Every structure is written in structure tokens, then in C-alpha cells.
């Protein structure tokens, strides 16, 4: 069974390259994100990779927090999402 992952920013260079490399991965299965406004309308996947320009990831992080989910997150963007000085304790 392959683990579903979402690459947020897969239309950009870094995200597109990650998606291309993971398409035939034995364990990971990149799936498409719903259109804007329907972020995580279904359950949050087990793995979320952020590949967005600086400052654009905050809304996605909030959507994950609002669903009370705790996926593995990988930040491949330039945005310091998980800087302890910027993040709030749940």
C-alpha cells in the first residue's frame, strides 16, 4: 500500500520536480490537491510537502490545524513555517 502525499505548490519548479520524482515511488503516492477554497475538503493526507514561495504557506498550515490533524510535514519552500518564534503552541 502506498502512502498518499500532497505537494502544495506542485505547479512550481521545486514542487513539480518533487512530484515528477515521486510519481513512480514504491511507497509514496503524490495526489492532487483540491482547487483553492476546497483545501483538504476530504481528510488530510499522511504527508504534506510545502513547495511554495515565501509567505504563502500559512493558510494551508491553518487549514491543517483547523482539522485537528497532525500529518508529517516537509517544508521545501523558503517560508520558515516551523520557526519556534513564529508558531503557536496548540
Amino acid at each position: 500500500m502506498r502512502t498518499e502525499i500532497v505537494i502544495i505548490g506542485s505547479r512550481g519548479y521545486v514542487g513539480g520536480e518533487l512530484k515528477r520524482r515521486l510519481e513512480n515511488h514504491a511507497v509514496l503516492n503524490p495526489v492532487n490537491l483540491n482547487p483553492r477554497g476546497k483545501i483538504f475538503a476530504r481528510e488530510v493526507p499522511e504527508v504534506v510537502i510545502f513547495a511554495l514561495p515565501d509567505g504563502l504557506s500559512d493558510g494551508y498550515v491553518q487549514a491543517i490545524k483547523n482539522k485537528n490533524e497532525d500529518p508529517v510535514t516537509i517544508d521545501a519552500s523558503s517560508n520558515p513555517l516551523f520557526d519556534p518564534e513564529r508558531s503557536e503552541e496548540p
Side-chain angles (χ1 to χ4, degrees):
M1 174 141 180
R2 294 173 70 192
T3 301
E4 284 191 351
I5 66 167
V6 166
I7 301 168
I8 299 176
S10 63
R11 293 193 307 179
Y13 177 78
V14 172
E17 187 64 20
L18 284 168
K19 186 175 179 182
R20 184 185 69 78
R21 290 175 181 246
L22 293 172
E23 283 177 339
N24 296 315
H25 194 276
V27 179
L28 301 176
N29 179 31
V31 296
N32 290 328
L33 182 65
N34 291 328
R36 287 185 189 200
K38 295 185 179 182
I39 301 165
F40 305 125
R42 57 189 186 96
E43 63 188 53
V44 175
E46 293 178 55
V47 178
V48 178
I49 300 174
F50 295 98
L52 295 169
D54 188 27
L56 296 181
S57 300
D58 293 338
Y60 293 97
V61 172
Q62 192 58 49
I64 292 170
K65 287 181 180 178
N66 289 344
K67 289 203 144 253
N68 292 319
E69 298 284 342
D70 192 23
V72 172
T73 53
I74 300 169
D75 188 4
S77 67
S78 61
N79 193 5
L81 286 177
F82 304 105
D83 180 353
E85 293 181 20
R86 286 187 64 199
S87 53
E88 301 174 18
E89 288 294 319

